Amino acid sequence: MADRFDVAEALAGGFPARADAWAFVRGFAAAWSTPLSPADGFTSAEVQRAEDRLGMRLPVALREAYALFGRRRDLVAQQNPLLEPDELLLDPSGELLVFRSENQGCAGWGVALADLSREDPPAALFADRLTGSSRLHFLDRLSLACVETVLSEAAMADWTEGRTCKATPEVVACLEEQFAQVALPPYPAWFEPMGQPVRWFSSSGLLLCVEPGLEGMDLVVTGRTMADVQRAVEAIPGTWPPAVPAATEAVEDREWVLPF
C-alpha cells in the first residue's frame, strides 16, 4: 500500500463528507507513517473536560478528529501543532476557538464561536502579519483544515525527506505537467497570509507544495524516502540546493508557544 499511495489520487473525489477526510487520514498514516490505532485518540471524557472548562460544546468534526488521531504527534504536532483538548483557548478577540497554533505563537487557526454549533464549520486563520485583530478565511470546513494539518506537518517531519527550490514559471509548468494537483482548495499561508495561496501536487511517495518564499514562490518537495525526493529533483528543472541531513530531534522534546 505504501508504494501505491498517491495523495492526489486518494483525494480525487474531493470531500463530499467529513468521513472522507478521516478515511484519507487513515490511508495517509498507514502509507507514510504507521496505521492509526484506538490508542491514537483522546477519550470522550478528556474532550468533555475541555468542553466543561470552556463552557461550550466542540464541533462534531473536532471531536471526531481528537478521537481518531488527536494523540498522533507525528501527524499533527511536528511544527504547528493541533492543540490538545486541555490546551484549547479563545483568541484575543474572544470570537474564535483556537484549535491549532504556530509553534512560536505567531499565528493560529480557529473556529468562530458563532459557528460552533455546526458539525463541520469553516476554519479561520489569524496571524501577526495581519493588521490588528483581523482574520482570514482558511478553509470551508474544519475537517479540511485537519487534512491540511496532516499534509503540512508531514512536510516538516523528521521522518520524511525534503528539498526546496524556487518555483519559477518553468518549474511550475513542469510541476503541473508531470504531477497531479491535490483537490484541496487554495488557502493562505500563515507566514504570508496576504500572498499567493498554497497549492499541493503529488505522486506516489511524494508531496509537492507551492507556497510563498522569501522572494516569490517556493516549491517544497517532501518524500517518504530520499529516493522519492530524488525522483522529483530529476524530473523538475529547478535550481536545487545541496541536500541536508534530516533533523533528528524527538517530537516529544519540543515545547510549543501558544499564540497569546
Side-chain angles (χ1 to χ4, degrees), residues 91-93 106 125-136 190 192-194:
D91 80 322
S93 74
C106 296
L125 171 71
F126 62 96
D128 288 352
R129 301 197 68 172
L130 290 172
T131 303
S133 60
S134 62
R135 59 183 185 257
L136 292 177
W190 68 263
E192 196 64 58
M194 303 308 295

Side-chain angles (χ1 to χ4, degrees), residues 58-176:
L58 302 185
V60 172
L62 185 55
R63 283 188 270 127
E64 289 177 347
Y66 278 141
L68 183 63
F69 53 84
R71 292 187 183 277
R72 279 294 295 269
R73 295 175 65 83
D74 59 323
L75 298 177
V76 300
Q78 290 288 323
Q79 184 75 13
N80 303 321
L82 179 72
L83 299 182
E84 297 187 359
D86 64 2
E87 296 174 327
L88 290 170
L89 73 168
L90 300 185
D91 80 322
S93 74
E95 298 176 350
L96 289 179
L97 175 66
V98 182
F99 63 86
R100 185 184 178 202
S101 173
E102 190 274 331
N103 73 92
Q104 295 295 313
C106 296
W109 294 258
V111 173
L113 299 191
D115 290 331
L116 289 183
S117 62
R118 298 173 63 174
E119 291 191 351
D120 199 1
L125 171 71
F126 62 96
D128 288 352
R129 301 197 68 172
L130 290 172
T131 303
S133 60
S134 62
R135 59 183 185 257
L136 292 177
H137 175 76
F138 185 66
L139 285 166
D140 288 341
R141 298 194 315 226
L142 194 152
S143 59
L144 296 182
C146 289
V147 168
E148 192 282 333
T149 297
V150 169
L151 295 182
S152 59
E153 293 301 283
M156 299 287 186
D158 56 16
W159 44 270
T160 59
E161 302 288 347
R163 299 283 292 278
T164 300
C165 74
K166 294 297 180 185
T168 64
E170 182 182 18
V171 164
V172 173
C174 180
L175 179 67
E176 293 175 337

